[in-house]
Amino acid sequence: MSVSTVLSTAATVLYYIGFPVIIIVRLLLAAVIFVAAPILHVAHYLLHGVLWPIRQLARLETLYIYFGVAALVGICTAAILHYSMTFVIKNLRIDGSGEERGRTLSSYRAEKTERQAEKIRQTLPKVGLKPKRLDTGVKEEYSKWLKQDKGFATKGLLSTTILEEEDSSEAGF
């Protein structure tokens, strides 16, 4: 006997032994599918509903690619600018880290108040001398002058407005 005939007879025997098992498994599977058909139908629609947002997002794929590339280009450009400007600033020594800054606002204000105090000290009369007092008549005259109306509106924009005069040389234009 040859090997091919042995294999052929073994396959035939196994087929006839396994055939009833295959038929029983197919019948059971058909019964299970028939009973589970409504459940499978509902599961199909649930899965369809759950996957709907993902399908909608898949339509925007080109936008994702566009914005992703734009972000990468922006990040690369920013990095190139940062490092090139850092290189230029260090080589030209314009970073200002070694230089002293000018006066600060607080030191300027302190100097100004000191100058004002010195000016006031110089204008004050010497100790022992009494400051001159104005006559009461002069005081009254000044108070009347301050109180009188000067012909301007006392409040509003008209009191501060400077009116322009017309220029006669521009009359021909």
Side-chain angles (χ1 to χ4, degrees):
M1 276 191 164
S2 74
V3 175
S4 64
T5 57
V6 172
L7 286 176
S8 160
T9 52
T12 307
V13 170
L14 285 176
Y15 175 76
Y16 286 116
I17 292 172
F19 186 70
V21 175
I22 292 173
I23 290 177
I24 292 173
V25 169
R26 281 188 177 174
L27 288 174
L28 286 174
L29 185 61
V32 168
I33 289 175
F34 179 75
V35 171
I39 297 170
L40 292 175
H41 191 68
V42 170
H44 170 75
Y45 281 109
L46 284 175
L47 186 63
H48 185 74
V50 168
L51 294 178
W52 181 79
I54 296 172
R55 280 193 304 274
Q56 297 304 318
L57 290 176
R59 290 181 180 179
L60 303 174
E61 180 184 8
T62 55
L63 287 177
Y64 292 143
I65 293 170
Y66 176 76
F67 288 131
V69 170
L72 286 175
V73 167
I75 289 170
C76 292
T77 304
I80 290 169
L81 283 174
H82 170 73
Y83 289 117
S84 65
M85 290 308 294
T86 303
F87 176 76
V88 168
I89 286 172
K90 283 184 181 179
N91 284 334
L92 294 178
R93 295 183 189 105
I94 56 175
D95 56 351
S97 60
E99 299 174 9
E100 282 189 30
R101 293 185 55 189
R103 294 188 300 185
T104 62
L105 184 60
S106 59
S107 66
Y108 171 74
R109 287 181 180 166
E111 290 174 13
K112 186 176 178 181
T113 55
E114 182 63 34
R115 283 194 309 258
Q116 288 175 346
E118 184 63 32
K119 192 183 284 184
I120 289 172
R121 276 189 237 121
Q122 289 175 357
T123 58
L124 285 177
K126 303 288 185 203
V127 177
L129 297 176
K130 293 185 178 181
K132 295 181 182 178
R133 293 189 176 211
L134 294 174
D135 291 340
T136 56
V138 174
K139 282 185 182 179
E140 288 176 12
E141 186 178 333
Y142 280 129
S143 65
K144 285 180 187 176
W145 180 79
L146 287 173
K147 289 179 186 175
Q148 76 181 0
D149 186 17
K150 309 223 177 12
F152 301 113
T154 56
K155 291 184 181 178
L157 289 176
L158 290 177
S159 64
T160 58
T161 304
I162 300 173
L163 300 175
E164 295 183 15
E165 295 180 16
E166 291 187 23
D167 193 8
S168 62
S169 65
E170 294 180 3
F173 297 107

